[in-house]
Amino acid sequence: MTMQASEPLIVAHRGASFDAPENTLPAFELAWEQGADAIEGDFLLSQDGHIVCVHDKKTKKVADQNLDVAYSTLKELQALDVGSWKHEKFRGTTIPTLSQVFATVPKGKKIYVEVKCGSEIVPALIQEIQRSGLEDDQIVLISFDASVIQEFKKKKPVHKAYWLCHFRKKKGELSPGIKTILETLKNTGADGLDSHYSIPEEFSRAVLNAGYEWHAWTVNDVSMAKKLKKRGIHSITTDHPQLLRRNF
């Protein structure tokens, strides 16, 4: 039985990363089993031009070898064990390619592709999207790098793209401010903002009032998810898709 997408959508952060090793096929497959509406994964380019699913530019966090992704081949990267750090039962889990992750996405579900490098990835990304067999509305791009959003939307305007944003206090004020946020969304052609959940209500209201979508990460608390829902959020990214699905 296919579960209807909720409103807002529940997006599995790096897959069901509370229960399985982040950014791996077991985590993505588990996310679908747990009722996620979408998965989110992090992607970088390997030395030989493959798009691989890993968060950091170096593999130290998830593997026993510290390879630099940009200076390593796909073969070298996929020789790493990126599962046993989480639990012995995941020993032998490897870094997947974008095409392998695309292949897990069921009909009617979505994937949020977070680009962790620069716009040099866009040509290869477009090729992978065209080969994926997924519908246009199933693939969403997200990035902290405004130039990545701009380049992607220029080449693939049919796909949605959200600018990622977190906040820092500068001289007692939050940065970026709402003016900068709205200018960035307009200048890049972004469809919306994907912010840290701590975004002030007046900021999210301004984004929505300007006609953009608003999404947030990473929410692992049901009460916080409910508060964001009341504010009109479009999707909530979480490490616990099953927790939100059961209680939200």
Side-chain angles (χ1 to χ4, degrees):
M1 179 180 170
T2 303
M3 189 173 291
Q4 292 296 309
S6 62
E7 187 60 38
L9 301 182
I10 295 173
V11 183
H13 183 236
R14 306 176 194 172
S17 55
F18 180 77
D19 298 307
E22 63 177 51
N23 285 319
T24 65
L25 295 181
F28 296 128
E29 295 286 7
L30 186 58
W32 301 129
E33 291 174 23
Q34 292 185 355
D37 300 306
I39 54 172
E40 180 269 353
D42 305 293
F43 296 90
L44 290 163
L45 265 182
S46 69
Q47 185 181 47
D48 49 350
H50 292 275
I51 301 179
V52 292
C53 189
V54 60
H55 182 274
D56 295 350
K57 289 181 171 26
K58 294 190 176 182
T59 62
K60 183 179 181 181
K61 178 185 171 186
V62 294
D64 56 0
Q65 290 184 59
N66 191 24
L67 298 186
D68 189 320
V69 175
Y71 296 95
S72 304
T73 65
L74 177 63
K75 185 177 180 181
E76 290 168 337
L77 292 166
Q78 290 199 319
L80 300 176
D81 172 357
V82 293
S84 57
W85 69 270
K86 185 73 172 177
H87 193 280
E88 184 61 31
K89 68 182 178 182
F90 296 113
R91 180 172 293 280
T93 300
T94 57
I95 293 174
T97 61
L98 176 58
S99 61
Q100 288 176 309
V101 180
F102 276 161
T104 75
V105 182
K107 187 176 181 180
K109 303 284 187 171
K110 298 179 186 288
I111 176 171
Y112 288 27
V113 176
E114 181 174 350
V115 169
K116 302 299 288 187
C117 54
S119 55
E120 69 275 5
I121 200 173
V122 171
L125 176 58
I126 290 171
Q127 285 185 339
E128 291 292 352
I129 288 171
Q130 291 169 339
R131 285 196 287 254
S132 71
L134 296 173
E135 299 293 333
D136 291 343
D137 65 353
Q138 290 185 271
I139 300 173
V140 176
L141 180 91
I142 58 175
S143 180
F144 285 100
D145 187 335
S147 68
V148 171
I149 301 289
Q150 188 171 35
E151 183 67 15
F152 182 75
K153 287 297 287 186
K154 201 185 300 178
K155 299 282 176 60
K156 294 291 283 184
V158 295
H159 292 277
K160 289 190 174 180
Y162 310 135
W163 182 50
L164 287 165
C165 177
H166 56 83
F167 301 92
R168 293 188 173 90
K169 279 238 173 155
K170 287 186 178 178
K171 298 179 180 178
E173 293 190 359
L174 282 183
S175 178
I178 190 57
K179 183 182 177 185
T180 299
I181 290 171
L182 293 177
E183 285 178 352
T184 302
L185 295 178
K186 182 181 178 182
N187 293 339
T188 59
D191 299 280
L193 180 73
D194 197 347
S195 70
H196 188 264
Y197 70 83
S198 62
I199 182 173
E201 186 166 358
E202 60 267 28
F203 280 28
S204 60
R205 191 184 309 120
V207 168
L208 293 170
N209 287 345
Y212 295 103
E213 295 180 26
W214 168 49
H215 307 257
W217 50 274
T218 301
V219 182
N220 295 321
D221 178 77
V222 174
S223 62
M224 175 56 69
K226 288 179 178 178
K227 287 176 185 175
L228 297 176
K229 182 178 181 179
K230 287 180 180 177
R231 286 165 57 179
I233 198 165
H234 288 82
S235 81
I236 295 174
T237 298
T238 178
D239 298 323
H240 292 271
Q242 189 172 54
L243 177 69
L244 263 60
R245 174 59 70 210
R246 288 177 173 173
N247 298 282
F248 181 52

